[in-house]
Amino acid sequence: MNSIKFLALAAAAAFAIAPGTPKAAAQVTVDIGVAPDCPYGYYDYAPYNCVPDGYYGSEWFNAGVFVGAGPWFHGSNDFQGKVDNTFDPQHGYSGSLPKVGDKRAAQRRSPEQFNGNEVRDGRGNKK
């Protein structure tokens, strides 16, 4: 009788410590589509709204084309660019924002007028 109890207890213990159902490794593919067509670039966090003129410094543009931010960033791995986060809603900005597809103002401010207060890497990380 003792051996039957021992075998039952051993079977129950083995069942309890046996690995559970193996988990399948999920393959997740996220198609983010094309980058927003914003006149002055877009924020580096979802929902990637268009930023106002003055948010990004000139180093974020190559021949007038925005180098990207967030998932569409296509600058070098050691890229560092200045931003003026006073134009960021996460920092209290509530002014007007351009809409996707809007065109740049005819008199875009010059790089000398830019007052950046933060450095970012294009992927949303502060430097």
Side-chain angles (χ1 to χ4, degrees):
M1 183 76 150
N2 283 339
S3 61
I4 293 176
K5 286 182 181 180
F6 177 76
L7 286 175
L9 184 60
F15 181 78
I17 62 172
T21 305
K23 296 181 181 177
Q27 290 184 333
V28 178
T29 304
V30 178
D31 183 14
I32 56 172
V34 297
D37 178 24
C38 298
Y40 310 113
Y42 40 87
Y43 294 108
D44 54 6
Y45 55 84
Y48 306 105
N49 292 328
C50 295
V51 298
D53 186 13
Y55 180 79
Y56 286 111
S58 60
E59 65 274 11
W60 289 88
F61 298 88
N62 185 2
V65 177
F66 183 58
V67 299
W72 301 282
F73 179 71
H74 53 273
S76 67
N77 287 335
D78 60 346
F79 176 83
Q80 293 186 13
K82 292 182 181 175
V83 300
D84 184 351
N85 69 16
T86 59
F87 289 112
D88 189 335
Q90 291 185 344
H91 291 271
Y93 180 71
S94 61
S96 64
L97 297 171
K99 307 233 180 321
V100 171
D102 281 355
K103 302 300 176 209
R104 287 189 177 98
Q107 297 296 323
R108 187 162 195 274
R109 61 178 79 194
S110 68
E112 295 82 35
Q113 292 176 313
F114 178 74
N115 294 317
N117 61 1
E118 191 172 277
V119 177
R120 299 232 178 140
D121 68 357
R123 293 173 181 84
N125 303 310
K126 295 179 188 178
K127 291 289 188 165

